[in-house]
Amino acid sequence: VAKTSLTSPPWPEVKLPDPVEEAKYHAEVVQKVNKMIAEGQYGRLFAVVHFASKQWKITSEDLIMMDNVLEAECGDRIRMEKVLLVGADDFTLIGRPLLGKDLVRVEATVIEKTESWPKINMRFWKRHNYQRKKIIVNPQTVLRINTIEIFPCLS
Amino acid sequence: RYVRQLQRLQLLFSPTAADARGARQFVEEAALDFARQHPDVVLYISPRCGPAPLLLAEYLNGTVREELIASKTSEEIVQLATKLAGQSGLDIIRIRKPFHTDNPSVQGQWHPLTNKPSALTVQGPRLQPQ
């Protein structure tokens, strides 16, 4: 059969490797990464955390602000679960969709519990003598991420 | 490693005015509890026969916030005081980003040439690999 422009798809054809070889390669990579974590060769760690219905990319010593009220008092240490991704300079650990709690530990402290700036909510219809003005002030919490730690227990 | 940003709380009220009733009740009942719950905040109570009662809050970066407490019940004053104690002295204006990092990129910031094969490995009729 003659080859036209539509016989093969336009993307380059990818051949998958052998499953046995792939399993060996995977085990080797996992061992290497475990050894690196155990020796502590990583520099800065970043993590993607699901918190307050939003996903944040955080490193240590950075500030995050929520538009809600947490039950913790100012100065409390909080441990964040629901970690989706952890990465360092050479490797990343991707969770499906979450990583285990015995793998990662993210700690944060509540610094501040303030209110937002006064937002104006006004409704106005012209020629109908209708206007309503409301000032909305939301409570906010400021967290500072203290540490992100990983423990070598991959499999 | 947490340092409260509130330095001083000054409660100025007059012992005879009618709108300072809540302030007087707060001083009688809740001031001691508040002081014990927040041991790192200094609470000054000074009666003066002047205008309306005020609650002055001074923060570690120098900002001073005044709140009127005229015609407020003592529970409201307690809530106000706890709210001021949790705040820091920054201005309450619109903040553009809800996050702040000193090190935004760990694995190197993305630019359009990452993850692309370099010109050294491309084979073509004109380009010769080195």
Side-chain angles (χ1 to χ4, degrees):
Chain A
V1 181
K3 283 210 170 159
T4 55
S5 63
L6 291 178
T7 42
S8 64
W11 49 82
E13 199 189 316
V14 174
K15 285 183 199 158
L16 291 176
D18 257 341
V20 172
E21 275 178 23
E22 217 181 310
K24 266 198 276 181
Y25 180 66
H26 283 334
E28 206 188 295
V29 167
V30 161
Q31 233 185 36
K32 262 196 197 169
V33 171
N34 241 343
K35 208 171 77 163
M36 272 179 77
I37 301 174
E39 284 162 22
Q41 276 175 9
Y42 48 85
R44 242 187 131 90
L45 279 178
F46 73 91
V48 172
V49 154
H50 187 284
F51 197 66
S53 79
K54 278 177 282 261
Q55 298 189 2
W56 312 82
K57 177 190 156 302
I58 49 182
T59 44
S60 48
E61 310 159 7
D62 71 333
L63 289 168
I64 277 186
M65 194 157 84
M66 317 272 145
D67 220 1
N68 57 2
V69 173
L70 289 172
E71 282 169 0
E73 293 299 325
C74 291
D76 281 355
R77 239 180 131 95
I78 290 182
R79 194 211 155 163
M80 292 212 220
E81 298 152 15
K82 286 201 215 167
V83 180
L84 298 134
L85 220 201
V86 164
D89 207 9
D90 293 322
F91 60 89
T92 32
L93 302 167
I94 310 177
R96 300 192 193 172
L98 297 177
L99 287 172
K101 285 199 234 174
D102 49 345
L103 248 191
V104 198
R105 196 182 163 92
V106 180
E107 300 235 314
T109 341
V110 181
I111 291 187
E112 212 188 304
K113 297 218 273 183
T114 49
E115 310 205 317
S116 71
W117 68 300
K119 299 189 194 174
I120 305 176
N121 181 15
M122 180 135 177
R123 290 187 284 184
F124 177 78
W125 287 346
K126 49 187 180 179
R127 296 183 297 270
H128 288 261
N129 195 19
Y130 174 76
Q131 53 179 347
R132 306 274 181 269
K133 185 164 170 180
K134 192 170 164 182
I135 297 184
I136 300 184
V137 179
N138 297 322
Q140 289 169 336
T141 12
V142 179
L143 297 176
R144 187 178 278 274
I145 312 291
N146 296 119
T147 48
I148 308 178
E149 294 154 3
I150 39 173
F151 311 107
C153 35
L154 295 167
S155 64
Chain B
R1 257 218 303 126
Y2 167 68
V3 177
R4 195 184 293 278
Q5 294 283 331
L6 185 64
Q7 248 183 330
R8 263 172 262 149
L9 263 182
Q10 274 177 326
L11 186 56
L12 309 161
F13 67 105
S14 78
T16 39
D19 47 1
R21 181 163 58 107
R24 270 175 269 146
Q25 273 179 349
F26 170 75
V27 165
E28 282 162 31
E29 296 152 20
L32 278 177
D33 301 327
F34 180 79
R36 266 185 214 121
Q37 274 161 15
H38 306 261
D40 38 356
V41 176
V42 193
L43 181 63
Y44 291 99
I45 300 180
S46 50
R48 51 145 203 205
C49 47
L54 272 184
L55 186 58
L56 274 176
E58 278 178 60
Y59 293 96
L60 285 175
N61 47 359
T63 37
V64 179
R65 262 191 79 165
E66 295 166 357
E67 304 262 345
L68 277 186
I69 40 176
S71 331
K72 279 195 180 152
T73 56
S74 73
E75 287 104 9
E76 283 174 17
I77 297 178
V78 161
Q79 273 166 18
L80 237 191
T82 36
K83 183 194 98 169
L84 287 172
Q87 282 175 339
S88 85
L90 302 161
D91 293 330
I92 300 188
I93 45 169
R94 182 180 83 98
I95 32 164
R96 293 167 211 233
K97 304 186 221 180
F99 43 84
H100 172 82
T101 18
D102 286 323
N103 308 65
S105 90
V106 170
Q107 291 179 354
Q109 206 174 24
W110 183 89
H111 51 92
L113 293 170
T114 47
N115 301 334
K116 286 254 162 99
S118 71
L120 296 168
T121 47
V122 165
Q123 280 203 355
R126 264 189 281 160
L127 276 171
Q128 274 149 33
Q130 292 158 20

